[in-house]
């Protein structure tokens, strides 16, 4: 393209586009944001808007499409959701004052991880931007929600390659960011491994690869608070490399081009401070997402979330995803939840106040960049009043924990009073020419507005006066933007127009006039209105600045409110679902009396969820091998144990009659491949990789849930692997383990190890029908009841009876093999002593020393013995 031939505006466009090649450029022209060339082709397709053309000075017209500026955010959110970046190019000077082409600049680059429009963000989810820096086998990562100003950092040094990779995977899945920034090292080595659907991945912006001095180069963008907390943070945590942190801050500055005053406090976290749940365990236990829904629905979080505010829901999600391992912190939550569960009236009172609370946590970005509107400030004010009421209720409540919780609420009445003084009671969203400042706040402003109102009365009087003077009853005083004020008279009365009226405009049915008196007043009116509005925005901007200076405290309040909301939600759910407070022990056992599965029971209507007991420890009751027919409830039972354990670590109450839990460090949940195949997620290979991960990482403090592991391959392979895994756990890992299996052959392990116990789920038979009792009992079953289940499922009787015939034949044939397997491979001690002797004899033979005749006889003997088996 010959750029010199382009129109000046197109040259300006391309100059801006050159600087932002990886973003779709929204170029402001009048009331539209226009896109050109490739951006136009792409955007018209993605947004389903009409593609047009515009003369650009070239032979072919430039492809173009556009959206009206006042509805742009909807289109922007669509593009962001599809993983694009959008650069907003605005007019940065008054077009009236411009010489030549109006100056335009990119004022903001919106990316999936920096999008803050609350109208389009999911209010229950944080929108995280994640920055990862890997050097050798160490890494540090930082993630931030730009809409709330939260920012978190962690580092790991000297990991093995697989540890590094696992850690990254788990963190990415846990944080579930909408955008990731990475350094080259990961981009080349790990990119395909950290790739996820819906996550937008950026290498660090190349111009910024050089190291920067945060404080020198970006200092002006940060709040004083943040600068201090950052210095302490680096010092106290002894951090050597924080490149990921620098890069994320730099990225925010480069894209947002505005101060980051709402980023106030950086938190260091360590994944060992939490109960570790890898992605596969979180998925199968449906901790925050249902297996079938892929959304919150059907998850533990869904059961627990009865929050009144979005802030509370987001906080609770963090709690549920990161259960605690610090017993004091767990007790702290338990104590508060217990206090709330005992007083439903109190719950109700607080809940009502919380329902009126605004999402001030997400308001802070608008406070920081100055885009907060008057109605939002009024909402902040109301939130403060409600918080004061909450504080009062808690502080005066007769419970030391609640009192303390109330004390934590900081007093922000001075902000409330300031807003109350300045802003009217129910201000509008847009200011334009609406009055938003309270009468009495500024004398000057009152005077100007009074004049504007008096002017209106003057006009009414003037209209009446002129009607009387001229005798024209239909004479009207009107106003429009082009003519200003004028007198309108319809054609039929034109002969009555007085001499002092001056003609302004002729329309089909009427004429428009002005008089000197009207003109004079118009000047005064417009002038005072203009001054009133500019004075008003001055006052408003001062108020915004004042509030911006209090961001940090507003964030503390948001944190207090979300904490309270999450606690109340857990208390409410405990009351509703009859959960109890679990005890904790240091003896390594988990005891649950009449435990229930929190999610399954929540979906039960008429049916009754059958509760079950659990006792598992690291001694005599360490590994439970659970056999039982299909559909008996094995998976449900095991997951319920895991979920109750997780809930206890969250500090939450649990679904059972009583529970005594010991802290665990990790929970691993593995499901045999074929259980999952239908979802196309799992193969035998993945199943085995996941098992390998357990072998590497499980400790005696872990809880292992193994569900039909080994199923993804042939019977004997699978059986052999399952057997070997259990032995390995019993002998080496020594972790509490629940192992459901259809390999009945495994039940012999109970005899081999003191720590292994067989459990099964009771079934009953009535009139040839199987009945699931759902009760877990000691013992085992060697029947799969597959045909019974098929019958229950409604399969035709002819097929059922034929299947029974076939089964009889197969069982007969296989009986021998089964016996074989037990004798040879498993129960060596029960083997026929004659055969054992023979095998020992074989072992002693030196093949080089025997004669051909001896060899022949030996072979004969082997053949005969094998016929006996
Ligand atoms: P298995 O793993 O033994 O094949 P599941 O655990 O998948 O069986 O359970 C099958 C179904 O039985 C579940 O979907 C649930 O609806 C029901 N179920 C399981 N356990 C219980 C229980 N304790 N009480 C009531 N219904 C149950
Ligand atoms: Mg199952």
């Amino acid at each position: 393209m010959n750029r010199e031939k382009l129109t000046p505006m197109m040259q300006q466009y391309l100059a801006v586009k050159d600087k932002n090649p990886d973003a779709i450029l929204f170029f402001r022209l009048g009331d539209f944001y226009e896109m050109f060339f490739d951006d136009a082709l792409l955007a018209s397709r993605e947004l389903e808007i009409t593609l047009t053309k515009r003369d650009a000075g070239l032979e072919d017209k430039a492809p173009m499409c556009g959206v009206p500026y006042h509805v742009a955010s909807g289109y922007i959110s669509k593009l962001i959701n599809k993983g694009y970046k959008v650069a907003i190019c605005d007019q940065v000077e008054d077009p009236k004052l411009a010489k030549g082409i109006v100056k335009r600049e990119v004022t903001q680059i919106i990316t999936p991880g920096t999008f803050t429009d609350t109208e389009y963000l999911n209010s229950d989810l944080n929108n995280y931007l994640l920055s990862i820096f890997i050097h050798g086998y160490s890494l540090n990562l930082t993630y931030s929600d730009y809409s709330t100003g939260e920012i978190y950092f962690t580092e790991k040094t000297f990991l093995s390659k697989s540890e590094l990779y696992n850690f990254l995977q788990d963190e990415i899945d846990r944080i579930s960011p909408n955008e990731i920034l990475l350094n080259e090292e990961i981009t080349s080595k790990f990119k395909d491994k950290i790739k996820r659907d819906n996550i937008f991945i950026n290498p660090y912006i190349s111009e910024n690869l050089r190291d920067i001095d945060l404080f020198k180069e970006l200092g002006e963008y940060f709040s004083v608070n943040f600068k201090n907390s950052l210095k302490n943070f680096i010092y106290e945590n002894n951090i050597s490399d924080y490149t990921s942190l620098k890069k994320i801050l730099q990225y925010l500055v480069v894209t947002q081009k505005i101060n980051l005053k709402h980023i106030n406090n950086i938190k260091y976290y360590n994944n060992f401070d939490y109960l570790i749940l890898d992605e596969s365990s979180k998925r199968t236990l449906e901790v925050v997402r249902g297996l079938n829904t892929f959304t919150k629905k059907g998850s533990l979080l869904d059961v627990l979330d009865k929050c009144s505010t979005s802030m509370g829901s987001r906080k609770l999600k963090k709690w549920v995803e990161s259960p605690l391992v610090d017993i004091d912190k767990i007790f702290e939550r338990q104590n508060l939840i217990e206090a709330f569960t005992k007083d439903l009236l109190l719950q109700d009172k607080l809940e009502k106040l919380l329902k009126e609370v605004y999402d001030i946590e997400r308001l802070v970005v608008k406070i920081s960049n100055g885009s907060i509107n008057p109605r939002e400030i009024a909402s902040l004010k109301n939130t403060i009043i409600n918080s004061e009421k909450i504080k009062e209720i808690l502080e005066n409540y007769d419970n030391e924990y609640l009192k303390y919780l109330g004390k934590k609420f900081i007093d922000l009445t001075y902000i409330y009073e300031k807003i109350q003084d300045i802003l009217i009671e129910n201000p509008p969203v847009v200011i334009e020419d609406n009055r938003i400042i309270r009468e009495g706040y500024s004398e000057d402003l009152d005077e100007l507005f009074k004049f504007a109102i008096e002017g209106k009365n003057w006009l009414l009087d003037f209209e009446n006066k002129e009607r009387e003077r001229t005798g024209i009853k239909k004479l009207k005083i009107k106003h429009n933007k082009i003519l200003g004020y004028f007198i309108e008279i319809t054609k039929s009365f034109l002969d009555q127009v007085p001499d002092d009226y001056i003609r302004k405009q002729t329309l089909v049915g009427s004429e428009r006039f002005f008089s000197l008196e009207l003109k004079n007043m118009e000047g005064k009116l417009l002038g005072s209105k203009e001054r009133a509005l500019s004075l008003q925005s001055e006052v408003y901007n001062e108020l915004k600045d004042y509030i911006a200076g209090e961001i940090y405290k507003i964030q503390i309040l948001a944190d207090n409110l979300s904490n309270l909301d999450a606690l109340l939600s857990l208390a409410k759910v405990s009351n509703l679902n009859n959960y109890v407070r679990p005890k904790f022990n240091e003896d390594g056992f988990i005891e649950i009396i009449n435990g229930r599965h929190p999610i399954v029971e929540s979906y039960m209507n008429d049916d009754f969820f059958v509760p079950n007991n659990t006792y598992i420890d690291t001694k005599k009751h360490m590994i439970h091998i659970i056999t039982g027919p299909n559909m008996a409830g094995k998976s449900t039972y095991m997951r319920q144990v895991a979920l109750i354990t997780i809930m206890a670590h969250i500090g939450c109450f649990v679904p059972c009659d009583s529970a005594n839990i010991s802290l665990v460090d990790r929970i691993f949940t593995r499901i045999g491949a074929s259980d999952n195949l239908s979802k196309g997620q799992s193969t035998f290979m993945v199943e085995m990789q996941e098992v390998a991960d357990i072998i590497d990482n499980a400790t005696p403090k872990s809880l292992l849930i193994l569900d039909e592991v080994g199923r993804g391959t042939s019977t004997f392979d699978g059986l052999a692997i399952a057997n070997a895994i259990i032995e390995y756990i019993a002998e080496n890992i020594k972790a509490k383990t629940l192992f459901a299996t259809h390999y009945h052959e495994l039940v012999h392990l109970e005899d081999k190890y003191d720590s292994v116990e067989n459990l099964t789920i009771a079934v009953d038979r009535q009139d040839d029908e199987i009945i699931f009792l759902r009760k877990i009992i000691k013992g085992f079953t060697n029947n799969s009841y597959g045909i019974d289940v098929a019958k229950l499922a409604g399969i035709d009787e002819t097929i059922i009876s034929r299947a029974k015939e076939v089964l009889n034949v197969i069982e007969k044939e296989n009986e021998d093999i089964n016996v074989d397997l037990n004798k040879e491979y498993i129960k060596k001690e029960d083997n026929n002593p004659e055969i054992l002797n023979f095998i020992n004899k074989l072992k002693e033979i030196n093949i080089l020393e025997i004669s051909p005749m001896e060899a022949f006889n030996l072979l004969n003997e082997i053949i005969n013995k094998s016929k006996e088996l």
Side-chain angles (χ1 to χ4, degrees), residues 397-464:
Y397 198 82
D398 186 20
N399 174 299
E400 53 170 327
Y401 304 114
L402 295 190
K403 272 196 169 61
Y404 183 68
L405 188 67
K407 286 222 166 52
K408 282 203 207 161
F409 276 72
I410 44 171
D411 185 5
L412 294 185
T413 26
Y414 61 98
I415 302 180
Y416 162 82
E417 279 162 8
K418 179 89 176 176
I419 300 172
Q420 177 70 8
D421 277 354
I422 297 181
L423 218 54
I424 60 169
E425 217 40 50
N426 293 304
V429 175
V430 284
I431 308 179
E432 282 172 5
D433 35 12
N434 296 311
R435 175 151 197 189
I436 56 160
I437 305 298
R438 194 181 284 280
E439 241 184 283
Y441 178 71
S442 151
E443 261 178 45
D444 291 349
L445 197 59
D446 288 351
E447 194 68 9
L448 287 166
F449 273 115
K450 195 171 143 214
F451 190 78
I453 288 167
E454 277 172 3
K456 262 198 196 122
N457 293 335
W458 184 91
L459 286 169
L460 285 176
D461 290 347
F462 179 70
E463 191 178 60
N464 282 333

Side-chain angles (χ1 to χ4, degrees), residues 374-390:
R375 186 165 299 164
E376 288 165 335
I377 294 187
S379 305
L380 170 64
K381 184 186 80 174
N382 294 333
T383 301
I384 295 174
I385 318 178
N386 278 10
S387 310
E388 291 304 320
K389 290 184 193 155
I390 290 171

Side-chain angles (χ1 to χ4, degrees), residues 600 604 608-612 629-637 640 707 761 774:
V600 175
M604 296 242 175
F608 172 65
F609 189 92
V610 180
N612 271 306
N630 246 320
M631 285 299 288
K634 300 183 292 299
S635 302
T636 308
Y637 170 73
Q640 123 192 352
D707 196 349
I761 302 199
R774 313 257 182 245

Side-chain angles (χ1 to χ4, degrees), residues 793-855:
I795 289 186
D796 195 275
E797 186 55 44
T798 46
I799 297 183
I800 300 290
S801 43
R802 174 65 187 143
K804 282 181 183 164
E805 281 172 31
V806 176
L807 181 68
N808 273 334
V809 176
I810 298 176
E811 276 181 346
K812 275 235 167 63
E813 281 179 1
N814 276 280
E815 230 161 64
D816 303 335
I817 300 176
N818 276 335
V819 170
D820 227 3
L821 190 86
N822 277 331
K823 281 190 172 166
E824 281 240 299
Y825 175 61
I826 297 167
K827 287 192 170 172
K828 279 192 181 139
E829 63 275 22
D830 289 352
N831 248 322
N832 179 336
E834 203 186 324
I835 290 177
L836 274 179
N837 283 338
F838 177 63
I839 291 173
N840 287 336
K841 209 169 95 196
L842 279 179
K843 282 187 194 155
E844 275 156 23
I845 292 170
N846 184 339
I847 194 89
L848 295 175
E849 283 176 4
I850 58 173
S851 70
M853 195 56 205
E854 281 169 330

Side-chain angles (χ1 to χ4, degrees), residues 688-716:
M688 288 300 113
Q689 279 169 353
E690 290 186 346
V691 171
D693 181 43
I694 298 184
I695 307 295
D696 287 347
N697 293 303
T699 74
K701 288 191 79 184
S702 306
L703 175 62
L704 315 186
I705 307 290
L706 300 170
D707 196 349
E708 307 276 12
V709 162
R711 192 177 196 174
T713 181
S714 81
T715 306
F716 292 133

